[in-house]
Amino acid sequence: MTNNLSRLAIIGATGSVGKSVLDICRTYPEKFKVAFLVAHQNIKKMSSLINEFHPVGVALTDHEAARSLRELHPDLPIYESEEDLEYIVTHPDVDHVVFASSGTDAIRSLQKALDADKNVSLANKESIVVAAPWVMPLVKRRDQLRPLDSEHNAIWQCLIGENVRNVKEIFLTASGGPFRTYTREKLSYVTPEMALSHPVWNMGYKVTVDSATLMNKGIEIIEAMYLFNLDNTQVHAIICPGSIVHGIVHFSDGTVKMVASTPDMRMAAATALAYPERLPTMPLVAPLAFDPLSISFYSPDESLFPSLALAKEVACKKGPFPAILVGADEIAVDAFMKKKINFTQIPVVIEKVLSSYNGKAPETLEESLQILQWGKVTAQSIVRTLEK
Ligand code: NDP
Ligand code: MG
C-alpha cells in the first residue's frame, strides 16, 4: 500500500465479478491501482482493459490467447503459466489480490497470495469448497481474507469486531431463482435460456444455473462452513425474494445482526476492497429503498430443489464429498447447457456420482483435486447414459 493507494491483481478480470471489481477501480482511481489483470482466453476484452487501466503486466492462462495478445501489446509483459500467476500474486507491487475466476485453477495462487500476507478478496467458491483444509490455515489475519460472494460478504461484515465463538447460527439468503414457484412437472421443461434469466443477479452462466437449481446455495453453505469455521448444523439457507437481505448472524446472547443492501456485486466488492473504509458507492449502485415491511423470508422447498438437499448432506459428511460435488455439478450444468440432459436431471447426475464413490477422504490438495477430477469423469459417463 503506497499513500493509501491499494495496488490490485485481479484474477478473472474479464468475467462478471471482475467487471464489478473494475467498476470500483474506475470510480476510485485515487484509491485503487490496477497492477495486474489475469483471465483465461478473452483477448478482446483483455486488450480493451489494458488500454483503459494500463496495468504493469497481464496474464492469459490459455497459451494461444497469450501469444495473440503479445502481438497486440508487444511492449507489455504478458504471462501465462501457473508459475507466472504465482509470481503476480506475490509481487512486491501488489497489496491486494482479487480471486474472481471460475473453476479451481487458481487454488495454488490463492495459497501463495495468503502465504505472502497479501490482502485477498475471494469470489471463487470452488477453491474453498475443494481446498479449504489447505487454504484456510494460511489466513494470517481476520481482515486478510474478505469474501466477495454477497452472502458471505454480509456474514463477514456482521462478524467485524465479533468473536466467532459467539455465533449460534447463520442464515444465507437466496432469491429462490426464477423457478421458485414452479411445480416439479413444469421444472422438467426448463430450458438453458430460461435458467439463464435470473430475476435479481446478473452473473456468469455456471453460477446462474446453480442459482436456479439452488445448488449455488448448497455450495455456499459449505463455503460458509469453512470460511467462518462453523459446523454444518449452524449454517442455514433461507429464501428472501428480491435478495435485499444477504446474510444474518444469530449470536449466542440472542442478538441478531443482518446486512441488507441493493443486490449488486459492486456493494460487496466495495466493502472488501476498501475495508475498513466505506466508499460512497451511490454513483454506481441505485440506493436501497429500504422498506422493512416488504421483507419476508421462506424456507426453501428441498423436494422441488433436491440439489440443495444433496449439498447439505455433503456439508454434513465432508471428506471427499465437497470436491466430488463441485466436479459433478460442473459437468451436469455443462450437459444441461448443451441440452444433453434436462433441468431436473442435474441433481440426478450429481446424486449418482456422490453415491458411487467408495474411495477415501483426501489428505492433500493434490488428492482433493484428483477426487474432483474423478467426480467430473464419473459425471460424464453418467450423462452419456442419460443423454437425450
Ligand atoms: P464468469 O464466467 O463471468 O468469469 C470467469 C472469469 O474467470 C473470466 O475472467 C475468465 O476468463 C476467468 N477464468 C476462467 N478460467 C480461468 C483460468 N483457468 N485462469 C484464469 N482465469 C480464468 O464467472 P463469474 O464472474 O460469474 O464467477 C467467478 C467466480 O465467482 C465463480 O467461482 C463464481 O461461483 C463466483 N461468484 C460469482 C458471482 C457473480 O455474481 N457472478 C457471485 C458470487 C460468487 P475468460 O473470460 O478469458 O474466459
Ligand atoms: Mg452468493
Side-chain angles (χ1 to χ4, degrees), residues 12 14-17 40-42 61 100-101 105 125-126 149 203-204:
T14 53
S16 156
V17 176
H40 180 51
Q41 45 76 33
N42 192 335
T61 55
S101 52
D105 287 352
K125 314 166 196 256
E126 299 92 323
D149 202 346
M203 312 175 285

Side-chain angles (χ1 to χ4, degrees), residues 130 322-332 371-373 375-377 379:
V130 171
I324 298 173
L325 183 82
V326 169
D329 181 48
E330 184 182 317
I331 299 302
I371 290 171
L372 169 90
Q373 192 54 28
K376 288 187 190 182
V377 172

Side-chain angles (χ1 to χ4, degrees), residues 125 149-151 216-217 220:
K125 314 166 196 256
D149 202 346
S150 55
E151 301 76 6
N216 182 48
K217 214 45 54 183
E220 288 183 352

Side-chain angles (χ1 to χ4, degrees), residues 62 159 173 252 382:
D62 179 87
L159 292 179
T173 64
S252 51
I382 290 167

